[in-house]
Short mmCIF file of all heavy atoms in Angstrom, two decimals:
data_model
loop_
_atom_site.label_atom_id
_atom_site.label_comp_id
_atom_site.label_asym_id
_atom_site.label_seq_id
_atom_site.Cartn_x
_atom_site.Cartn_y
_atom_site.Cartn_z
N LYS G 44 9.31 28.31 10.50
CA LYS G 44 7.91 28.72 10.57
C LYS G 44 7.44 29.28 9.24
O LYS G 44 6.35 29.00 8.77
CB LYS G 44 7.71 29.75 11.68
CG LYS G 44 7.75 29.15 13.08
CD LYS G 44 7.45 30.22 14.11
CE LYS G 44 7.41 29.62 15.52
NZ LYS G 44 7.16 30.64 16.54
N TYR G 45 8.30 30.11 8.63
CA TYR G 45 7.95 30.72 7.35
C TYR G 45 7.81 29.66 6.27
O TYR G 45 6.89 29.70 5.44
CB TYR G 45 9.04 31.73 6.96
CG TYR G 45 8.76 32.46 5.68
CD1 TYR G 45 7.80 33.48 5.64
CD2 TYR G 45 9.43 32.12 4.51
CE1 TYR G 45 7.53 34.15 4.45
CE2 TYR G 45 9.16 32.78 3.32
CZ TYR G 45 8.23 33.80 3.30
OH TYR G 45 7.97 34.44 2.14
N ALA G 46 8.73 28.68 6.30
CA ALA G 46 8.69 27.61 5.30
C ALA G 46 7.41 26.78 5.44
O ALA G 46 6.76 26.43 4.46
CB ALA G 46 9.92 26.70 5.44
N LYS G 47 7.05 26.49 6.71
CA LYS G 47 5.83 25.72 6.95
C LYS G 47 4.60 26.49 6.49
O LYS G 47 3.68 25.94 5.90
CB LYS G 47 5.71 25.38 8.44
CG LYS G 47 6.68 24.30 8.89
CD LYS G 47 6.52 24.02 10.38
CE LYS G 47 7.50 22.95 10.84
NZ LYS G 47 7.39 22.71 12.29
N LYS G 48 4.61 27.80 6.78
CA LYS G 48 3.48 28.63 6.39
C LYS G 48 3.35 28.67 4.87
O LYS G 48 2.26 28.56 4.32
CB LYS G 48 3.68 30.05 6.93
CG LYS G 48 2.49 30.96 6.65
CD LYS G 48 2.72 32.32 7.26
CE LYS G 48 1.53 33.23 6.98
NZ LYS G 48 1.73 34.58 7.51
N ASN G 49 4.50 28.81 4.19
CA ASN G 49 4.48 28.83 2.72
C ASN G 49 3.97 27.51 2.17
O ASN G 49 3.20 27.47 1.21
CB ASN G 49 5.88 29.10 2.17
CG ASN G 49 6.13 30.58 1.98
OD1 ASN G 49 5.22 31.37 2.16
ND2 ASN G 49 7.35 30.94 1.64
N MET G 50 4.42 26.40 2.80
CA MET G 50 4.01 25.09 2.35
C MET G 50 2.51 24.91 2.49
O MET G 50 1.82 24.45 1.60
CB MET G 50 4.74 24.01 3.15
CG MET G 50 4.39 22.58 2.70
SD MET G 50 5.26 21.34 3.67
CE MET G 50 4.44 21.54 5.26
N LEU G 51 1.97 25.34 3.66
CA LEU G 51 0.54 25.22 3.91
C LEU G 51 -0.28 26.09 2.96
O LEU G 51 -1.35 25.71 2.51
CB LEU G 51 0.23 25.61 5.36
CG LEU G 51 0.74 24.62 6.42
CD1 LEU G 51 0.55 25.23 7.80
CD2 LEU G 51 0.02 23.29 6.33
N ASN G 52 0.26 27.30 2.68
CA ASN G 52 -0.46 28.21 1.78
C ASN G 52 -0.43 27.73 0.34
O ASN G 52 -1.31 28.04 -0.45
CB ASN G 52 0.12 29.62 1.86
CG ASN G 52 -0.27 30.32 3.14
OD1 ASN G 52 -1.23 29.94 3.79
ND2 ASN G 52 0.50 31.33 3.51
N THR G 53 0.64 26.97 -0.02
CA THR G 53 0.82 26.53 -1.39
C THR G 53 -0.05 25.32 -1.71
O THR G 53 -0.48 25.13 -2.84
CB THR G 53 2.31 26.19 -1.66
OG1 THR G 53 3.10 27.32 -1.35
CG2 THR G 53 2.53 25.79 -3.11
N LEU G 54 -0.34 24.50 -0.69
CA LEU G 54 -1.08 23.26 -0.91
C LEU G 54 -2.38 23.47 -1.67
O LEU G 54 -2.65 22.77 -2.64
CB LEU G 54 -1.34 22.56 0.43
CG LEU G 54 -0.11 21.88 1.07
CD1 LEU G 54 -0.49 21.32 2.44
CD2 LEU G 54 0.42 20.77 0.18
N PRO G 55 -3.23 24.45 -1.26
CA PRO G 55 -4.50 24.61 -1.98
C PRO G 55 -4.40 25.48 -3.22
O PRO G 55 -5.38 25.65 -3.93
CB PRO G 55 -5.41 25.29 -0.94
CG PRO G 55 -4.47 26.10 -0.12
CD PRO G 55 -3.18 25.34 -0.10
N TYR G 56 -3.20 26.04 -3.48
CA TYR G 56 -3.09 27.05 -4.53
C TYR G 56 -3.40 26.49 -5.91
O TYR G 56 -4.15 27.08 -6.68
CB TYR G 56 -1.69 27.67 -4.51
CG TYR G 56 -1.52 28.77 -5.52
CD1 TYR G 56 -2.10 30.02 -5.30
CD2 TYR G 56 -0.83 28.57 -6.71
CE1 TYR G 56 -1.97 31.04 -6.22
CE2 TYR G 56 -0.69 29.59 -7.63
CZ TYR G 56 -1.26 30.82 -7.38
OH TYR G 56 -1.12 31.82 -8.29
N ASN G 57 -2.82 25.31 -6.21
CA ASN G 57 -3.05 24.72 -7.53
C ASN G 57 -4.52 24.38 -7.73
O ASN G 57 -5.08 24.56 -8.81
CB ASN G 57 -2.20 23.45 -7.70
CG ASN G 57 -0.73 23.78 -7.84
OD1 ASN G 57 -0.38 24.88 -8.26
ND2 ASN G 57 0.14 22.85 -7.48
N LYS G 58 -5.16 23.89 -6.65
CA LYS G 58 -6.59 23.60 -6.72
C LYS G 58 -7.39 24.87 -6.95
O LYS G 58 -8.36 24.89 -7.71
CB LYS G 58 -7.04 22.90 -5.43
CG LYS G 58 -8.48 22.42 -5.49
CD LYS G 58 -8.84 21.68 -4.22
CE LYS G 58 -10.30 21.23 -4.28
NZ LYS G 58 -10.70 20.53 -3.05
N TRP G 59 -6.96 25.97 -6.29
CA TRP G 59 -7.65 27.26 -6.44
C TRP G 59 -7.56 27.75 -7.87
O TRP G 59 -8.53 28.22 -8.44
CB TRP G 59 -7.03 28.26 -5.47
CG TRP G 59 -7.60 29.63 -5.59
CD1 TRP G 59 -8.76 30.10 -5.07
CD2 TRP G 59 -7.00 30.75 -6.28
NE1 TRP G 59 -8.94 31.42 -5.39
CE2 TRP G 59 -7.87 31.84 -6.12
CE3 TRP G 59 -5.82 30.92 -7.00
CZ2 TRP G 59 -7.60 33.09 -6.66
CZ3 TRP G 59 -5.55 32.16 -7.54
CH2 TRP G 59 -6.43 33.23 -7.36
N ILE G 60 -6.34 27.63 -8.47
CA ILE G 60 -6.14 28.04 -9.86
C ILE G 60 -7.03 27.22 -10.78
O ILE G 60 -7.68 27.75 -11.70
CB ILE G 60 -4.65 27.88 -10.27
CG1 ILE G 60 -3.79 28.94 -9.56
CG2 ILE G 60 -4.50 28.00 -11.77
CD1 ILE G 60 -4.08 30.36 -10.00
N THR G 61 -7.11 25.90 -10.53
CA THR G 61 -7.96 25.02 -11.35
C THR G 61 -9.42 25.41 -11.24
O THR G 61 -10.13 25.52 -12.25
CB THR G 61 -7.78 23.56 -10.90
OG1 THR G 61 -6.40 23.20 -11.00
CG2 THR G 61 -8.61 22.63 -11.77
N ASN G 62 -9.88 25.66 -10.01
CA ASN G 62 -11.28 26.06 -9.81
C ASN G 62 -11.60 27.36 -10.53
O ASN G 62 -12.66 27.51 -11.13
CB ASN G 62 -11.56 26.23 -8.31
CG ASN G 62 -11.62 24.90 -7.59
OD1 ASN G 62 -11.63 23.86 -8.22
ND2 ASN G 62 -11.62 24.95 -6.27
N ARG G 63 -10.67 28.31 -10.45
CA ARG G 63 -10.89 29.61 -11.09
C ARG G 63 -10.93 29.47 -12.61
O ARG G 63 -11.74 30.10 -13.28
CB ARG G 63 -9.80 30.59 -10.66
CG ARG G 63 -10.02 32.00 -11.20
CD ARG G 63 -9.14 33.00 -10.50
NE ARG G 63 -9.40 34.32 -11.04
CZ ARG G 63 -8.61 34.96 -11.91
NH1 ARG G 63 -7.51 34.38 -12.32
NH2 ARG G 63 -8.91 36.15 -12.35
N THR G 64 -10.07 28.62 -13.16
CA THR G 64 -10.05 28.39 -14.61
C THR G 64 -11.37 27.79 -15.07
O THR G 64 -11.94 28.20 -16.08
CB THR G 64 -8.89 27.44 -14.98
OG1 THR G 64 -7.65 28.02 -14.54
CG2 THR G 64 -8.83 27.22 -16.49
N ILE G 65 -11.86 26.80 -14.31
CA ILE G 65 -13.14 26.17 -14.65
C ILE G 65 -14.27 27.19 -14.58
O ILE G 65 -15.15 27.24 -15.44
CB ILE G 65 -13.42 24.99 -13.70
CG1 ILE G 65 -12.41 23.87 -13.96
CG2 ILE G 65 -14.85 24.47 -13.88
CD1 ILE G 65 -12.45 22.74 -12.95
N ALA G 66 -14.23 28.03 -13.53
CA ALA G 66 -15.28 29.05 -13.35
C ALA G 66 -15.31 30.01 -14.53
O ALA G 66 -16.38 30.31 -15.08
CB ALA G 66 -15.06 29.81 -12.04
N LEU G 67 -14.15 30.50 -14.94
CA LEU G 67 -14.07 31.44 -16.06
C LEU G 67 -14.51 30.77 -17.37
O LEU G 67 -15.14 31.40 -18.22
CB LEU G 67 -12.65 31.99 -16.18
CG LEU G 67 -12.20 32.91 -15.04
CD1 LEU G 67 -10.72 33.27 -15.19
CD2 LEU G 67 -13.05 34.18 -14.99
N PHE G 68 -14.18 29.50 -17.51
CA PHE G 68 -14.63 28.75 -18.70
C PHE G 68 -16.15 28.68 -18.74
O PHE G 68 -16.78 28.89 -19.79
CB PHE G 68 -14.04 27.34 -18.70
CG PHE G 68 -14.66 26.43 -19.73
CD1 PHE G 68 -14.30 26.53 -21.07
CD2 PHE G 68 -15.63 25.50 -19.36
CE1 PHE G 68 -14.89 25.72 -22.03
CE2 PHE G 68 -16.22 24.68 -20.31
CZ PHE G 68 -15.85 24.79 -21.64
N LEU G 69 -16.78 28.36 -17.59
CA LEU G 69 -18.24 28.26 -17.51
C LEU G 69 -18.91 29.58 -17.86
O LEU G 69 -19.92 29.60 -18.56
CB LEU G 69 -18.66 27.81 -16.11
CG LEU G 69 -18.42 26.34 -15.76
CD1 LEU G 69 -18.64 26.11 -14.27
CD2 LEU G 69 -19.32 25.43 -16.59
N ILE G 70 -18.33 30.68 -17.38
CA ILE G 70 -18.90 32.00 -17.64
C ILE G 70 -18.81 32.33 -19.14
O ILE G 70 -19.78 32.77 -19.75
CB ILE G 70 -18.18 33.07 -16.81
CG1 ILE G 70 -18.51 32.88 -15.31
CG2 ILE G 70 -18.57 34.47 -17.26
CD1 ILE G 70 -17.58 33.63 -14.39
N THR G 71 -17.64 32.10 -19.72
CA THR G 71 -17.45 32.37 -21.15
C THR G 71 -18.36 31.48 -22.00
O THR G 71 -19.02 31.95 -22.93
CB THR G 71 -15.98 32.10 -21.54
OG1 THR G 71 -15.12 32.88 -20.72
CG2 THR G 71 -15.74 32.48 -23.00
N PHE G 72 -18.41 30.21 -21.63
CA PHE G 72 -19.26 29.26 -22.35
C PHE G 72 -20.72 29.68 -22.25
O PHE G 72 -21.47 29.64 -23.24
CB PHE G 72 -19.07 27.86 -21.75
CG PHE G 72 -19.97 26.81 -22.34
CD1 PHE G 72 -19.75 26.31 -23.61
CD2 PHE G 72 -21.04 26.31 -21.61
CE1 PHE G 72 -20.59 25.35 -24.15
CE2 PHE G 72 -21.88 25.35 -22.13
CZ PHE G 72 -21.65 24.86 -23.41
N GLY G 73 -21.14 30.11 -21.06
CA GLY G 73 -22.51 30.55 -20.85
C GLY G 73 -22.89 31.73 -21.72
O GLY G 73 -23.99 31.78 -22.29
N CYS G 74 -21.98 32.71 -21.82
CA CYS G 74 -22.24 33.89 -22.66
C CYS G 74 -22.42 33.50 -24.12
O CYS G 74 -23.33 33.99 -24.80
CB CYS G 74 -21.08 34.88 -22.52
SG CYS G 74 -20.98 35.67 -20.89
N ILE G 75 -21.57 32.60 -24.60
CA ILE G 75 -21.66 32.16 -26.00
C ILE G 75 -22.99 31.45 -26.25
O ILE G 75 -23.68 31.69 -27.25
CB ILE G 75 -20.48 31.22 -26.33
CG1 ILE G 75 -19.15 32.00 -26.29
CG2 ILE G 75 -20.66 30.58 -27.71
CD1 ILE G 75 -17.92 31.12 -26.38
N ILE G 76 -23.36 30.58 -25.31
CA ILE G 76 -24.60 29.82 -25.44
C ILE G 76 -25.82 30.75 -25.45
O ILE G 76 -26.77 30.57 -26.22
CB ILE G 76 -24.73 28.79 -24.29
CG1 ILE G 76 -23.73 27.66 -24.49
CG2 ILE G 76 -26.14 28.24 -24.18
CD1 ILE G 76 -23.99 26.79 -25.69
N ILE G 77 -25.80 31.77 -24.58
CA ILE G 77 -26.93 32.71 -24.52
C ILE G 77 -27.09 33.47 -25.84
O ILE G 77 -28.20 33.60 -26.36
CB ILE G 77 -26.76 33.69 -23.35
CG1 ILE G 77 -27.03 32.98 -22.02
CG2 ILE G 77 -27.73 34.88 -23.48
CD1 ILE G 77 -26.80 33.83 -20.81
N PHE G 78 -25.98 33.97 -26.37
CA PHE G 78 -26.05 34.70 -27.63
C PHE G 78 -26.55 33.80 -28.77
O PHE G 78 -27.32 34.23 -29.63
CB PHE G 78 -24.68 35.29 -27.99
CG PHE G 78 -24.33 36.49 -27.16
CD1 PHE G 78 -23.18 36.51 -26.40
CD2 PHE G 78 -25.16 37.60 -27.10
CE1 PHE G 78 -22.85 37.61 -25.62
CE2 PHE G 78 -24.86 38.70 -26.33
CZ PHE G 78 -23.68 38.71 -25.59
N TYR G 79 -26.15 32.53 -28.72
CA TYR G 79 -26.65 31.57 -29.72
C TYR G 79 -28.14 31.35 -29.54
O TYR G 79 -28.91 31.35 -30.52
CB TYR G 79 -25.90 30.23 -29.58
CG TYR G 79 -26.46 29.14 -30.46
CD1 TYR G 79 -26.20 29.13 -31.83
CD2 TYR G 79 -27.26 28.13 -29.93
CE1 TYR G 79 -26.73 28.14 -32.65
CE2 TYR G 79 -27.80 27.15 -30.73
CZ TYR G 79 -27.52 27.15 -32.09
OH TYR G 79 -28.04 26.18 -32.90
N GLY G 80 -28.57 31.19 -28.29
CA GLY G 80 -29.99 30.98 -28.00
C GLY G 80 -30.85 32.16 -28.42
O GLY G 80 -31.94 31.99 -28.95
N ILE G 81 -30.33 33.39 -28.18
CA ILE G 81 -31.07 34.59 -28.57
C ILE G 81 -31.18 34.69 -30.09
O ILE G 81 -32.24 35.00 -30.64
CB ILE G 81 -30.39 35.85 -27.99
CG1 ILE G 81 -30.54 35.87 -26.47
CG2 ILE G 81 -30.99 37.12 -28.59
CD1 ILE G 81 -29.74 36.98 -25.79
#
Side-chain angles (χ1 to χ4, degrees):
K44 285 184 177 178
Y45 182 75
K47 286 179 181 178
K48 184 177 180 182
N49 269 355
M50 181 181 70
L51 291 172
N52 286 340
T53 303
L54 287 175
Y56 183 74
N57 289 335
K58 187 177 179 181
W59 176 80
I60 289 294
T61 303
N62 288 349
R63 184 166 180 257
T64 302
I65 293 171
L67 292 174
F68 168 78
L69 286 169
I70 291 165
T71 304
F72 176 73
C74 291
I75 294 170
I76 288 294
I77 286 176
F78 285 123
Y79 173 76
I81 291 172

